[in-house]
């Protein structure tokens, strides 16, 4: 695959039912490119967790995916409340999700650790009151 | 185990069209927490859940699952069913509770499969 493919998505912040559309779209596109199933699945799960976080914690945001020779890069950026203690947020089981989100089946505090686990490169930057940017890479091979 | 047998064992009703009843599945996962499904499940093909919202289908789709059984008589709405159909996921509803549904399937040989976490 010589050319670079770019996918861009806007994630709405007020519509939980639509969260996941971007990840599902990316997943079917990656499948169509003929990438290995486990690579596609890892990238899709990592992006889906990030997309859900954009919807429930950050009032929405944007996603940019680039697929090039050997690697899928995914960037999620939001102008939400930001994360005060990143190390704490990254630990399994830590969640500030309200009961309403729990009743929807999320808020176990597994999203960020999961994103790190399923990606080969994971980087998170966040400033309280400004927003959060997460960059992930999944190697193709 | 075939999808057909799962439907029989759980006295479940198919609610999506064109279900491939002959399809073989080997492993399943039961949870109302989608976060946990995404974190701990690997290579399972059936999701048994009492949670009723579109993220159930999204989660199953991300995990490459092929069948969802809604327990405790949960009836998924049109939006959920359309989404499942688009993603080629067979959907069933059963009146059984989560515990009983999982127990019956386990008893008949379906397993939890490999998990990581
Ligand atoms: N984009 C974001 N903006 C602001 N805060 C965030 C963002 N993403 C995560 N957080 C914070 O980090 C915490 C941990 O996130 P994580 O995704 O691991 O768990 P969760 O979303 O609460 O639950 P789960 O992902 O298991 O459904 C969140 O509860 C929230 O406080
Ligand atoms: Mg999360």
């Amino acid at each position: 695959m010589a050319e670079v493919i770019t996918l861009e998505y806007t994630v709405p912040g007020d519509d939980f039912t639509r969260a996941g559309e971007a990840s599902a779209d990316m997943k079917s596109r990656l499948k169509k490119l003929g990438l290995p199933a486990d690579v596609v699945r890892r990238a899709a799960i990592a992006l889906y967790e990030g997309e859900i976080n954009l919807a429930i914690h950050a009032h929405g945001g944007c996603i940019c995916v680039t697929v090039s020779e050997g690697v899928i890069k995914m960037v999620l950026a939001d102008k939400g409340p930001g994360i005060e203690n990143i190390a704490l947020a990254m630990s399994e089981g830590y969640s500030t999700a309200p009961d309403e989100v729990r009743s929807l089946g999320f808020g176990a505090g597994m999203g960020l650790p999961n994103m790190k686990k399923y990606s080969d490169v994971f980087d998170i930057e966040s400033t309280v009151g400004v927003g959060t940017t997460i960059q992930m890479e999944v190697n193709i091979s | 185990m075939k999808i057909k047998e799962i439907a029989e064992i759980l006295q479940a009703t198919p609610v999506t069209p064109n279900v491939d009843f002959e399809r073989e599945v080997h492993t399943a996962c039961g949870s109302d927490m989608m976060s946990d499904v995404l974190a701990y499940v690997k290579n399972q093909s059936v999701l048994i859940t009492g949670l009723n919202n579109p993220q159930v289908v999204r989660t199953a789709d991300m995990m490459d699952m092929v069948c969802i059984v809604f327990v405790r008589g949960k009836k998924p709405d049109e939006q959920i069913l359309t989404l499942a159909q688009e993603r080629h996921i067979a959907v069933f509803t059963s009146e059984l509770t989560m515990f009983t549904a999982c127990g019956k399937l386990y008893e008949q040989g379906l397993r939890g499969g490999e998990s990581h976490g």
Side-chain angles (χ1 to χ4, degrees), chain A residues 16 19 27 48 105 117-118, chain B residues 34 38-39 53 55 58 61 64:
Chain A
F16 178 77
K27 189 176 190 215
Y48 179 55
K117 180 170 79 184
Y118 287 116
Chain B
M34 294 305 109
L38 291 160
N53 70 44
Q55 300 308 333
R58 293 281 182 217
D61 182 33
D64 296 317

Side-chain angles (χ1 to χ4, degrees), chain A residues 49 53-54 56-58 78 81-83 89 94-97 106-113 132, chain B residues 35:
Chain A
E49 290 278 18
N53 280 356
L54 290 179
I56 65 182
H57 302 300
D78 68 66
I83 300 171
Y94 177 82
S95 174
T96 61
F106 289 86
M110 294 306 295
L112 289 172
T132 303
Chain B
S35 300

Side-chain angles (χ1 to χ4, degrees), chain B residues 7-116:
Chain B
E8 279 164 19
I9 293 165
L10 301 182
Q11 299 136 44
T13 314
V15 285
T16 44
N18 311 322
V19 172
D20 179 3
F21 286 97
E22 297 301 319
R23 183 155 188 168
E24 280 286 344
V25 292
H26 303 285
T27 50
C29 153
S31 181
D32 286 355
M33 260 322 234
M34 294 305 109
S35 300
D36 280 340
V37 175
L38 291 160
Y40 295 114
V41 177
K42 198 183 175 190
N43 281 327
Q44 276 83 347
S45 31
V46 184
L47 176 60
I48 300 145
T49 188
L51 185 73
N52 187 358
N53 70 44
Q55 300 308 333
V56 172
V57 181
R58 293 281 182 217
T59 300
D61 182 33
M62 294 304 148
M63 309 297 291
D64 296 317
M65 290 171 158
V66 297
C67 178
I68 300 171
V69 182
F70 288 95
V71 291
R72 302 197 293 269
K74 295 283 155 66
K75 300 278 179 284
D77 66 18
E78 220 27 66
Q79 188 194 9
I80 297 175
L81 295 178
T82 308
L83 197 57
Q85 236 175 295
E86 277 170 22
R87 317 308 293 185
H88 306 290
I89 297 171
V91 180
F92 291 85
T93 61
S94 169
E95 296 298 322
L96 301 180
T97 63
M98 174 73 93
F99 180 82
T100 308
C102 294
K104 278 178 180 266
L105 292 175
Y106 192 91
E107 194 179 44
Q108 297 299 318
L110 198 65
R111 288 294 176 260
E114 186 189 353
S115 76
H116 62 181

Side-chain angles (χ1 to χ4, degrees), chain A residues 64-126:
Chain A
C64 183
V65 180
T66 54
V67 188
S68 52
E69 193 80 51
V71 64
I72 304 162
K73 290 187 186 177
M74 300 174 282
V75 181
L76 298 99
D78 68 66
K79 296 189 172 70
I83 300 171
E84 201 175 307
N85 185 336
I86 292 179
L88 186 61
M90 289 299 303
S91 58
E92 287 189 8
Y94 177 82
S95 174
T96 61
D99 284 348
E100 182 202 331
V101 167
R102 285 219 174 92
S103 70
L104 295 168
F106 289 86
M110 294 306 295
L112 289 172
N114 229 354
M115 289 158 77
K116 187 169 179 176
K117 180 170 79 184
Y118 287 116
S119 54
D120 295 301
V121 174
F122 178 91
D123 180 63
I124 176 166
E125 277 171 33
S126 189

